[in-house]
């Protein structure tokens, strides 16, 4: 039995004309568009490493030192990301604690528009990214507080 090679068939180019999408499918097609990622994370790094390993030349495989170096870089990036998240959380907790300690004290403040004032800190709100201190009827952001006077000893 003789095996005959398959003759390659030339593929004729075909033109494709884009058609406008309308109706109910338009929303699905519009939402299917992927937004590009602006930063590299562990998933992107790992995808690149796996693609590199899959597509390497079998007769000249990737150097193990390079692979270890890239794996270590991935680990360092993950730990740095974790440390950044922990630092943000710690800073947020420090701001909340500092704001809470202002209650009952007389505070001086300067708002973004240049308005200055003094008043007794009555309460604190943690609703926004920066805690706000209620001074009279005014909510003053913690980062606008410029001075602090301890309450009088009783």
């Amino acid at each position: 039995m003789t095996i005959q090679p398959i003759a390659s068939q030339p593929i004729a180019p075909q033109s494709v004309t884009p058609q406008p999408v309308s109706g109910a499918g338009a929303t699905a097609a519009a939402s299917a568009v992927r937004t590009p990622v602006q930063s590299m994370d562990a998933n992107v790094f790992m995808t690149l490493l796996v693609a590199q390993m899959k597509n390497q030349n079998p007769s000249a495989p990737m150097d193990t030192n390079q692979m270890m170096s890239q794996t270590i870089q991935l680990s360092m990036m993950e730990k740095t990301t974790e440390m950044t998240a922990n630092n943000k959380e710690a800073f947020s907790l420090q701001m909340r604690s500092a704001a809470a300690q202002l209650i009952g004290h007389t505070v001086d403040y300067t708002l973004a528009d240049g308005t200055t004032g003094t008043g007794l800190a009555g309460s604190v709100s943690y609703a926004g990214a920066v805690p706000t201190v209620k001074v009279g009827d005014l909510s003053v952001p913690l980062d606008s507080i410029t001075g602090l006077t301890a309450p009088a000893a009783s």
Side-chain angles (χ1 to χ4, degrees), residues 40-56 62-75 77-78:
M40 291 186 69
D41 61 358
N43 292 334
V44 172
F45 193 88
M46 188 57 82
T47 302
L48 289 171
L49 182 61
V50 168
Q52 183 179 5
M53 292 178 75
K54 279 184 180 178
N55 297 314
Q56 67 183 336
M62 184 157 92
D63 182 19
T64 55
N65 290 334
Q66 274 186 335
M67 189 174 75
M68 288 304 296
S69 173
Q70 290 177 3
T71 306
I72 289 170
Q73 286 175 353
L74 172 63
S75 177
M77 183 184 72
E78 287 175 336

Side-chain angles (χ1 to χ4, degrees), residues 18-30:
Q19 299 296 320
V21 179
S22 60
T27 310

Side-chain angles (χ1 to χ4, degrees), residues 38-118:
Q38 297 297 321
S39 63
M40 291 186 69
D41 61 358
N43 292 334
V44 172
F45 193 88
M46 188 57 82
T47 302
L48 289 171
L49 182 61
V50 168
Q52 183 179 5
M53 292 178 75
K54 279 184 180 178
N55 297 314
Q56 67 183 336
N57 182 351
S59 62
M62 184 157 92
D63 182 19
T64 55
N65 290 334
Q66 274 186 335
M67 189 174 75
M68 288 304 296
S69 173
Q70 290 177 3
T71 306
I72 289 170
Q73 286 175 353
L74 172 63
S75 177
M76 288 174 55
M77 183 184 72
E78 287 175 336
K79 290 300 178 187
T80 302
T81 303
E82 184 180 324
M83 282 178 28
T84 301
N86 289 343
N87 285 342
K88 284 181 182 179
E89 185 177 341
F91 182 69
S92 176
L93 290 172
Q94 282 181 325
M95 284 196 314
R96 289 172 179 250
S97 176
Q101 291 177 5
L102 294 176
I103 296 175
H105 292 74
T106 301
V107 294
D108 301 325
Y109 59 87
T110 303
L111 300 177
D113 64 1
T115 306
T116 60
T118 301

Side-chain angles (χ1 to χ4, degrees), residues 107-119 135 137-147:
V107 294
D108 301 325
Y109 59 87
T110 303
L111 300 177
D113 64 1
T115 306
T116 60
T118 301
V135 180
D137 292 334
L138 187 63
S139 290
V140 179
L142 180 62
D143 55 1
S144 295
I145 306 264
T146 58

